[in-house]
Amino acid sequence: MNRNEQILTTEEFVRQNLKGYDSGHDWWHIERVRKLALFINEKEELVDPFTVEITALLHDSADSKFAGENSEQSYLLISDFIEKSGMSDIKDQVLNVIKNVSFSNKTKSGNPEAPLLWVIQDADRLDAIGAIGIARAFNYGGFRNNRIYEPEATGSAKSLKRVHQTGTSSTISHFYEKLLCLKDLMNTSTAQKLAAERHAFLEVFLKQFYKEWDFGTGMGKNPIK
Ligand code: ADP
Ligand code: NI
């Protein structure tokens, strides 16, 4: 298989693998992460672009939220696929990213100091903020049947504890638990620049959200300020 065929085969593997995921983790998320990762990598000149492309395609193939307890089994499937497609030379690097990229993955292992991981992680995190990030968050919240907003709980220790216990929270509280933190977690300066605009858009959105929620009653609040 040449490199082009390896990319096409990987695309097909990923499409099959993503069936059953929520639509925030659909093929288009993978496409956007691929574009962002290739862009960041080109600017930063960190890794071989082919490796970036294959890793971007595979990065969510073992997401613990969906694979559940079966993440070890997913790693084996992915490992098997990489070997069969003649890409054994990049297998360890790719698996290292898959095991470490997720914000929510608590069972990380491998090397967190890898440039390939920095690039994919930045791309994945950029897709969680800005207009797309907002759309994905509310989509995910709907998928989990969460409320859009719980005025009492937003950002409080109480809500964080409840999320931990039940795995559910309002989507607005997810902004405080994750989305607003992401701009400071970017690994590369290229991603930091892209994140600044997207972060500013989150703040504009929240301001308008509270204004509408409040609607002149003085009862709403804007925890950003
Ligand atoms: P990652 O792929 O970085 O691990 P997740 O898989 O946790 O991120 O999340 C995928 C998408 O779903 C992201 O856009 C994220 O912001 C969104 N999301 C995750 N958890 C929640 C939640 N509790 N409420 C709303 N959106 C969420
Ligand atoms: Ni992702």
Side-chain angles (χ1 to χ4, degrees), residues 6 15 28 33 50 59 68 78 87 91 94-95 106 109 131 137 148-149 153 155 158 162 169 183 186 196 212 217:
Q6 286 168 327
R15 282 181 195 276
W28 296 110
V33 169
F50 173 77
H59 84 275
I78 296 163
M87 302 187 286
K91 189 180 83 177
V94 176
L95 282 174
K106 312 257 179 333
S109 60
I148 58 172
Y149 180 43
K158 195 169 115 195
R162 204 189 53 216
S169 71
K183 81 166 171 31
M186 296 295 158
E212 293 175 15
T217 62

Side-chain angles (χ1 to χ4, degrees), residues 22 24-25 29 59-60 63-66 101-105 108 121 124-125 127-129 132-142 144 146-147 163 167-175 177-179 182:
D22 68 299
H25 266 102
H29 165 65
H59 84 275
D60 270 337
D63 192 299
S64 61
K65 270 197 305 323
F66 303 99
V101 73
S102 172
F103 182 85
S104 46
N105 179 3
K108 299 187 193 330
Q121 206 166 43
D124 199 29
R125 287 172 174 170
D127 203 52
I129 55 178
I132 298 270
I134 294 171
R136 289 180 73 212
F138 285 99
N139 182 69
Y140 182 92
R144 294 281 178 214
N146 294 341
R147 295 210 169 129
V163 173
T168 60
S169 71
S170 79
T171 299
I172 290 290
S173 77
H174 181 67
F175 280 62
E177 288 144 18
K178 173 176 170 182
L179 308 188
L182 291 179

Side-chain angles (χ1 to χ4, degrees), residues 71-137:
S71 55
E72 285 304 325
Q73 203 189 329
S74 307
Y75 299 151
L76 283 177
L77 267 173
I78 296 163
S79 178
D80 196 44
F81 165 77
I82 294 174
E83 280 173 16
K84 279 196 185 130
S85 318
M87 302 187 286
S88 300
D89 54 324
I90 61 169
K91 189 180 83 177
D92 290 350
Q93 285 185 74
V94 176
L95 282 174
N96 182 54
V97 172
I98 293 171
K99 290 176 183 176
N100 286 283
V101 73
S102 172
F103 182 85
S104 46
N105 179 3
K106 312 257 179 333
T107 53
K108 299 187 193 330
S109 60
N111 178 17
E113 297 298 322
L116 180 63
L117 177 62
W118 301 338
V119 170
I120 304 293
Q121 206 166 43
D122 280 0
D124 199 29
R125 287 172 174 170
L126 281 168
D127 203 52
I129 55 178
I132 298 270
I134 294 171
R136 289 180 73 212

Side-chain angles (χ1 to χ4, degrees), residues 190-205:
T190 304
Q192 275 160 16
K193 281 180 212 142
L194 293 169
E197 185 193 14
R198 292 176 188 221
H199 181 90
F201 192 77
L202 295 182
E203 295 196 328
V204 169
F205 171 83

